[in-house]
Amino acid sequence: MAKISGNFAMACIHAAILFVYVINVANAARVMMPLHPYMREQEKPISNIFDTSKYGILQLGNGLAKTPQMGWNSWNFFGCNINEKVIKETADALISTGLAKLGYNYVNIDDCWSEPSRDSEGQLIPDPKTFPSGIKALADYVHSEGLKLGIYSDAGAFTCQKRPGSLQHEYDDAVLFASWVCSFFFFYGSLFSLHLCWNCFPLFLYDFLGGIEGLVHILILFFVIQGVDYLKYDNCFNLGIDPEERYPPMRDAINATGRTIFYSLCEWGVNDPALWAGKIGNSWRTTNDINDSWASMTEIVDINDKWAAYAGPGGWNDPDMLEVGNGGMTYQEYRAHFSIWALMKSPLLIGCDVRNMSAETFEILSNEEVIAVNQDHLGVQGRKIFAYGPDGCYQIWAGPLSGQRLVVALWNRCSKTATITAKWPSLGLESSISVSVRDLWKHEFVSQNSKSSFSARVDAHACEMYIFTPTMETHSAT
Ligand code: GAL
């Protein structure tokens, strides 16, 4: 009997070992990526540019951010040295330079706009020394130019510069932001107009005349509100409370105002916001603050790249604002910075003094072909797909665009000029496919029928950027 039960125990142990082995083998087989028939080992891409597995699954759905936001933000150049004159002149410069027409529409005031403490009723107050006319007047000014105004607050007790934060004041503050309004109701064709602000007087007059002309009192109600259009919501002095608890109340408060406000989460990537922020905001910072250096810019790019599969229309990864034009990088480095931001579908928020831009800075920021990559309606974040050479510093970044096209960047992160080659398998293209290649910085076609690979000489730290359009067949969607 003892022998039988001993044998039975041994059989059970063997069965258990066999079971664990089979499960392991099955799991290993499951996660192994099938090798593309054309791929030799060294051509295996780092990541599949057609991976959109998480794309759009977490949408806030407030109708905004169909493409990444574009505009300007005060922080990178001005820090706390802001005032209403700077903001107005910046809005003017966005118009006069033509940048606004290219899509740079948000004029975003960052930290330091408010008094160090709330008023006796607990409301935030604009600093009377720097913003004596108040934020509402500024909103009216910016709106009168056809632009949008952004404001800043913090999901903590204080902002990073120790102004009052909005934690536990979400509803009051959201109402305040939305109520910096020039608003009116009017009934077209009627004589009745209710105006809530003097700045609407020209509109009132127009409406009134329209009313006299209209014989029938057809009632159409228009509710026009012009408050703040964008909120950047920072992460300082957060009392150790989980961001997933601190960020939703402001979303709910904004929604409750009835005003559509772009909600930009600035959580610095601490709790991997790509995994959860899509339901809460229109963009989420994935990294710590950028600074105006090659080292910072490249470090941030690599961090942001990790989260590519999560970006999509409605919600974008945010690797921080642009430093182009602030003086800490070379022309080629700034061009690379701008190219890769555009390819990664990152917000294009200018961070320099647009009132005094150099011609080179303007040339970079106004490259319409690069902007079009960023604003492409397919909305798939491009990524690093291949790296080789010393420390992997010859890099190929790519992503799909609408119309079966691809954006491809050859980026030389080494300190010497080099020839960089993109081979079709790493781009997910069949070798037989022929593509036309348009150079987005030269603004010309550099090839009409490239097959199997494409190479270019790339200066140290430079990034050449192209659109590949298949001229035969289409690329494989694997
Ligand atoms: C940081 C934020 C910066 C800027 C700054 C203002 O936390 O990441 O972009 O807003 O605060 O104090």
Side-chain angles (χ1 to χ4, degrees):
M1 189 61 187
K3 196 158 181 244
I4 292 174
S5 62
N7 283 344
F8 181 69
M10 281 309 284
C12 286
I13 291 168
H14 281 135
I17 292 170
L18 188 67
F19 179 73
V20 170
Y21 176 76
V22 167
I23 293 289
N24 274 341
V25 169
N27 266 340
R30 198 160 53 86
V31 296
M32 239 173 52
M33 295 269 288
L35 259 191
H36 191 287
Y38 297 106
M39 274 175 204
R40 291 195 306 275
E41 192 59 21
Q42 78 274 20
E43 288 171 358
K44 226 163 75 181
I46 295 170
S47 81
N48 173 2
I49 62 170
F50 302 105
D51 172 15
T52 52
S53 51
K54 316 285 188 311
Y55 169 96
I57 53 170
L58 293 172
Q59 293 212 359
L60 170 62
N62 61 358
L64 296 176
K66 293 284 185 244
T67 58
Q69 66 269 40
M70 291 178 68
W72 172 88
N73 173 290
S74 57
W75 184 254
N76 283 357
F77 182 82
F78 293 95
C80 273
N81 299 319
I82 46 167
N83 55 54
E84 60 187 37
K85 184 165 173 281
V86 164
I87 306 298
K88 282 180 173 178
E89 288 179 1
T90 297
D92 297 347
L94 288 173
I95 302 286
S96 64
T97 55
L99 288 173
K101 272 218 172 71
L102 297 177
Y104 296 99
N105 281 323
Y106 286 108
V107 180
N108 293 347
I109 310 172
D110 209 280
D111 207 346
C112 303
W113 62 267
S114 75
E115 275 274 85
S117 39
R118 292 172 179 268
D119 69 11
S120 54
E121 269 135 42
Q123 295 286 343
L124 291 169
I125 18 179
D127 185 328
K129 290 183 289 307
T130 47
F131 292 89
S133 321
I135 302 295
K136 185 179 115 35
L138 210 48
D140 289 348
Y141 185 87
V142 166
H143 291 141
S144 73
E145 297 194 308
L147 299 171
K148 296 173 178 170
L149 188 74
I151 201 78
Y152 163 99
S153 191
D154 190 285
F158 300 99
T159 72
C160 301
Q161 306 303 318
K162 305 230 177 65
R163 307 303 197 272
S166 293
L167 189 65
Q168 286 158 16
H169 292 270
E170 290 87 356
Y171 279 84
D172 276 356
D173 292 352
V175 167
L176 181 74
F177 300 148
S179 74
W180 283 322
V181 296
C182 164
S183 60
F184 64 94
F185 293 92
F186 70 84
F187 301 99
Y188 183 75
S190 84
L191 297 178
F192 174 70
S193 291
L194 171 62
H195 290 263
L196 302 178
C197 100
W198 286 112
N199 299 342
C200 294
F201 188 69
L203 291 169
F204 169 81
L205 206 62
Y206 176 77
D207 175 35
F208 184 69
L209 292 174
I212 288 174
E213 278 163 27
L215 292 174
V216 191
H217 289 194
I218 304 165
L219 201 72
I220 304 171
L221 179 64
F222 288 87
F223 180 32
V224 179
I225 291 188
Q226 298 175 39
V228 159
D229 307 288
Y230 188 110
L231 175 67
K232 172 175 170 181
Y233 206 40
D234 214 338
N235 197 30
C236 279
F237 299 99
N238 57 46
L239 313 180
I241 305 170
D242 197 309
E244 288 180 65
E245 274 177 51
R246 284 179 294 110
Y247 283 89
M250 183 53 95
R251 169 202 58 195
D252 298 340
I254 288 171
N255 285 344
T257 67
R259 182 168 179 81
T260 312
I261 295 179
F262 192 111
Y263 187 28
S264 154
L265 275 55
C266 179
E267 182 265 5
W268 316 318
V270 182
N271 279 39
D272 298 341
L275 301 178
W276 49 267
K279 276 185 287 196
I280 299 168
N282 296 113
S283 65
W284 46 89
R285 276 274 296 278
T286 52
T287 71
N288 226 320
D289 286 14
I290 193 169
N291 66 53
D292 188 16
S293 70
W294 167 258
S296 163
M297 187 268 284
T298 48
E299 184 191 349
I300 275 179
V301 160
D302 291 338
I303 299 171
N304 191 63
D305 188 39
K306 266 175 53 182
W307 305 107
Y310 293 85
W316 307 101
N317 292 312
D318 175 3
D320 209 354
M321 292 137 349
L322 297 166
E323 290 284 7
V324 178
N326 282 336
M329 288 184 245
T330 65
Y331 169 70
Q332 286 299 351
E333 290 170 349
Y334 279 140
R335 235 173 65 163
H337 174 20
F338 192 67
S339 302
I340 296 294
W341 254 241
L343 177 145
M344 293 195 304
K345 301 287 184 285
S346 307
L348 296 183
L349 295 173
I350 298 172
C352 70
D353 182 0
V354 286
R355 302 168 308 170
N356 299 303
M357 271 178 299
S358 69
E360 279 188 348
T361 298
F362 178 74
E363 183 219 324
I364 294 173
L365 296 173
S366 64
N367 185 324
E368 290 187 56
E369 298 197 65
V370 175
I371 293 172
V373 166
N374 181 256
Q375 298 291 302
D376 182 66
H377 66 81
L378 189 64
V380 177
Q381 178 172 329
R383 60 195 87 188
K384 186 193 294 184
I385 53 138
F386 198 65
Y388 66 105
D391 292 327
C393 64
Y394 304 147
Q395 301 192 347
I396 296 134
W397 291 65
L401 297 174
S402 58
Q404 304 287 303
R405 299 166 307 146
L406 298 178
V407 55
V408 178
L410 305 183
W411 192 9
N412 182 359
R413 283 165 65 166
C414 295
S415 45
K416 285 197 190 119
T417 302
T419 298
I420 302 185
T421 300
K423 294 182 179 169
W424 276 203
S426 54
L427 293 170
L429 293 170
E430 300 293 339
S431 288
S432 57
I433 286 175
S434 151
V435 302
S436 71
V437 179
R438 182 164 175 85
D439 184 320
L440 305 188
W441 286 105
K442 288 200 182 113
H443 303 292
E444 65 187 34
F445 285 94
V446 288
S447 165
Q448 285 303 340
N449 59 345
S450 283
K451 270 196 189 142
S452 77
S453 71
F454 177 80
S455 304
R457 287 290 284 170
V458 188
D459 287 344
H461 291 191
C463 177
E464 302 301 338
M465 194 173 187
Y466 308 94
I467 287 183
F468 283 19
T469 308
T471 51
M472 285 166 38
E473 309 174 39
T474 51
H475 56 68
S476 73
T478 54

